[in-house]
Amino acid sequence: MNDPQNPTTREQDAQETAVDAQQAERDAQRVADDVVARVLARAGTAVHEGATVHTAHDGEQLDLEERTSLRRVANLSTELQDVTEVEYRQLRLERVVLVGLWGSGTQESAEISLRELAALAETAGSEVLDGLLQRRHTPDPGTYLGSGKAAELAGVVAAVGADTVVVDGELAPSQRRALEDVVKVKVVDRTALILDIFAQHAKSREGKAQVELAQLEYLLPRLRGWGESMSRQAGGQVGGAGAGMGSRGPGETKIELDRRRIRNRMAKLRREIAAMEPARQTKRASRKKNAIPSVAIAGYTNAGKSSLLNRLTDAGVLVENALFATLDPTVRRAQAADGRVYTLADTVGFVRNLPHQLVEAFRSTLEEVADADLVLHVVDASHPDPEGQIAAVRHVFADIPGAMDVPEIIVLNKADLAEPEALARLRSREHGAVVVSAHTGEGVDALQAVIADQLPRPGVTVDVVIPYDRGDLVHRVHETGEIDAEEHTPHGTALRGRVDAGLASELTAAAVQVR
């Protein structure tokens, strides 16, 4: 029997504990390597296997042809071009190695996160060559990975000929620089990658301004210069190449000048975005004045929001099997099952840990959700972790004032690809969820019925006779009101039903008094 007081016994116990810890670490790393192997086995198909499949409701998809022609443009840049001798992050993502940390979560969550990073990299136009996943609870404050793993990463990068390392997290400027010093190639983090995708996909003037603002906010603390060339002026004897008196002063380095120019550009972009807001507000006010209910489509990126919009409205907006295919909001007219007209707005997709710069920059666009009467929260029911996607979207909703107060319908999309067990689990968790397939049309009629049931209903009862020369008012009653009875009389159209207060006033003013 071991004596715990015996020094030899205590030493043996410590050695056994150390051996057990080393074995556990090796086992964990072996599992992490298996995760990477499975992700790499899907290289080139990380978004989903197969090409994008369109239906007749998607239209000609001319935008998709244009976007595809721009894939993998040489020297693609998302940064400022006019500032010299500053090392900006030129995101020419072509041959990349993925890096991730597996913390306290499950093996499945680590794999899903790394797979999503691969999908983001592929959407940006890159080729995923290899990957590393380290079992580590917290990032190393110096190089994000531990020193040994960082050295291993350098070997992998050199072996496969990668030109970029993509990290599944947000790096501090010092971490990025330190890791670059080890691996000797460009290092970008998840935030920079998402910003690059947004820069490629933005089309409208407002969308481009919002993305540029987000990029500059991200870039500002990450400027990095090269040695003495950064010094435009300096105080003391170094000022003016040793010119001595008359040249001394606090001076301004080039990097300080660049920061000032970036801040000026950011201020200008904020003014431009603010100037565009009145037009959006005017459109919203017009819809509210005409009492047209509004429905916003929101959800995780690549959940099928644009496909659903096309299915409901034949809008023909861009549908692509890629992350963040839609950035610029699209508002289309739709008709409920009971004949009432409403507007349907497609919004930008969300993602786990959506960069806060984008949330701020796209706040005016995201407010479409808060201003809506109803939100269709579209979920990819075929995804390995739909519950995680739902939670990520609701987390963004919480950052938008008023969004959590809007009634929500969970739409479980891609029913044709989802497992029946997954659909049953989601329906039990999300009360009132509707199962649909925007591709096949399954469940769309049921969704239309639910939308009609949950749209706000007009609250003023009217019983009027409208003269025939005011057919415009009758038309509006058909579009936005509920008609119980309609009859054509010698004096005009007799209507009995319910409308909103504004239209009720107009009907009363125009009504014919029949004795």
Side-chain angles (χ1 to χ4, degrees):
M1 182 174 180
N2 289 338
D3 181 5
Q5 301 300 321
N6 189 322
T8 303
T9 301
R10 289 199 301 270
E11 184 177 340
Q12 289 176 344
D13 291 343
Q15 290 176 348
E16 291 175 359
T17 301
V19 169
D20 291 343
Q22 291 174 356
Q23 183 61 44
E25 184 176 343
R26 285 194 294 269
D27 291 343
Q29 190 56 52
R30 190 177 301 113
V31 173
D33 292 342
D34 290 342
V35 168
V36 173
R38 285 195 296 274
V39 172
L40 293 176
R42 296 166 54 92
T45 62
V47 177
H48 268 312
E49 286 81 357
T52 306
V53 179
H54 295 107
T55 69
H57 299 274
D58 294 328
E60 296 183 0
Q61 294 291 299
L62 299 178
D63 287 346
L64 179 59
E65 182 179 345
E66 176 185 351
R67 177 175 294 177
T68 304
S69 68
L70 295 175
R71 282 278 187 259
R72 299 178 65 83
V73 176
N75 298 326
L76 176 67
S77 171
T78 63
E79 312 292 359
L80 293 178
Q81 296 286 338
D82 60 342
V83 183
T84 59
E85 298 177 63
V86 175
E87 182 199 4
Y88 288 119
R89 301 295 84 202
Q90 306 290 332
L91 297 186
R92 295 185 291 272
L93 298 173
E94 295 187 357
R95 297 169 60 81
V96 306
V97 173
L98 307 178
V99 172
L101 291 185
W102 175 11
S104 57
T106 64
Q107 173 187 336
E108 183 181 24
S109 65
E111 181 172 347
I112 289 172
S113 183
L114 197 63
R115 185 185 301 173
E116 184 171 270
L117 185 68
L120 288 167
E122 289 169 5
T123 299
S126 66
E127 178 186 1
V128 177
L129 301 179
D130 209 332
L132 287 178
L133 183 64
Q134 184 178 26
R135 190 75 160 95
R136 186 185 181 96
H137 291 291
T138 57
D140 183 87
T143 56
Y144 188 76
L145 300 171
S147 58
K149 206 66 176 178
E152 181 184 344
L153 174 62
V156 171
V157 168
V160 300
D163 56 30
T164 306
V165 169
V166 183
V167 177
D168 192 15
E170 184 164 345
L171 296 175
S174 59
Q175 287 177 315
R176 179 184 59 76
R177 289 193 294 267
L179 191 55
E180 282 185 341
D181 290 340
V182 175
V183 299
K184 307 302 182 185
V185 297
K186 177 170 64 269
V187 174
V188 297
D189 60 17
R190 192 171 186 271
T191 299
L193 179 58
I194 293 174
L195 289 172
D196 182 69
I197 296 171
F198 270 58
Q200 292 184 53
H201 290 185
K203 289 186 61 179
S204 70
R205 179 166 166 261
E206 183 177 13
K208 290 178 179 178
Q210 289 169 327
V211 172
E212 184 181 355
L213 177 60
Q215 287 179 311
L216 293 178
E217 287 180 343
Y218 173 82
L219 172 65
L220 188 58
R222 291 171 172 81
L223 292 182
R224 181 184 181 186
W226 293 101
E228 295 180 359
S229 67
M230 293 306 299
S231 181
R232 188 180 299 276
Q233 298 177 12
Q237 292 296 326
V238 298
M245 288 185 296
S247 64
R248 298 185 180 95
E252 181 179 41
T253 64
K254 280 190 177 181
I255 201 165
E256 289 170 346
L257 177 63
D258 294 337
R259 284 180 178 139
R260 180 160 55 83
R261 294 169 68 180
I262 289 175
R263 289 191 184 99
N264 291 341
R265 177 62 178 164
M266 289 168 62
K268 182 180 179 182
L269 287 169
R270 288 193 179 99
R271 289 194 298 270
E272 290 179 359
I273 293 171
M276 299 174 200
E277 181 61 19
R280 188 184 298 277
Q281 293 288 3
T282 299
K283 292 177 182 177
R284 290 174 184 164
S286 176
R287 294 198 295 266
K288 290 185 180 297
K289 178 182 177 181
N290 293 323
I292 300 176
S294 60
V295 177
I297 300 180
Y300 210 81
T301 181
N302 206 38
K305 299 182 295 298
S306 295
S307 296
L308 184 61
L309 175 70
N310 288 341
R311 173 65 68 170
L312 293 173
T313 67
D314 290 326
V317 299
L318 174 70
V319 173
E320 184 180 8
N321 190 20
L323 305 186
F324 302 115
T326 301
L327 290 189
D328 301 310
T330 301
V331 180
R332 290 292 184 270
R333 176 189 175 103
Q335 192 169 32
D338 59 5
R340 283 185 295 159
V341 171
Y342 64 94
T343 60
L344 198 57
D346 187 13
T347 61
V348 62
F350 303 145
V351 72
R352 287 182 182 86
N353 303 317
L354 187 67
H356 66 88
Q357 296 96 338
L358 284 174
V359 175
E360 288 301 318
F362 279 80
R363 185 167 295 278
S364 61
T365 303
L366 295 174
E367 284 173 357
E368 288 282 356
V369 175
D371 288 342
D373 296 300
L374 183 65
V375 172
L376 301 184
H377 181 167
V378 183
V379 180
D380 179 359
S382 67
H383 190 272
D385 184 25
E387 291 91 349
Q389 293 192 346
I390 292 173
V393 171
R394 286 175 174 163
H395 180 74
V396 178
F397 281 175
D399 289 336
I400 307 171
M404 296 296 288
D405 299 326
V406 181
E408 174 192 56
I409 299 174
I410 293 291
V411 182
L412 302 176
N413 193 24
K414 305 187 183 181
D416 53 317
L417 302 176
E419 295 292 336
E421 296 81 5
L423 291 173
R425 184 183 75 247
L426 289 167
R427 294 186 74 173
S428 66
R429 290 173 59 96
E430 300 293 339
H431 179 69
V434 183
V435 177
V436 306
S437 169
H439 175 59
T440 66
E442 174 190 348
V444 172
D445 289 342
L447 176 60
Q448 286 277 34
V450 174
I451 293 173
D453 182 61
Q454 296 204 24
L455 284 176
R457 296 190 173 278
V460 180
T461 301
V462 293
D463 188 353
V464 293
V465 177
I466 303 301
Y468 289 118
D469 61 356
R470 293 306 309 271
D472 60 310
L473 291 177
V474 177
H475 177 69
R476 285 172 58 189
V477 174
H478 277 275
E479 285 199 329
T480 65
E482 295 180 345
I483 299 176
D484 295 329
E486 180 178 5
E487 181 183 357
H488 297 291
T489 72
H491 305 285
T493 304
L495 294 172
R496 187 172 72 253
R498 286 163 300 284
V499 296
D500 67 275
L503 182 54
S505 298
E506 294 184 59
L507 291 171
T508 301
V512 176
Q513 300 299 322
V514 180
R515 296 182 180 179

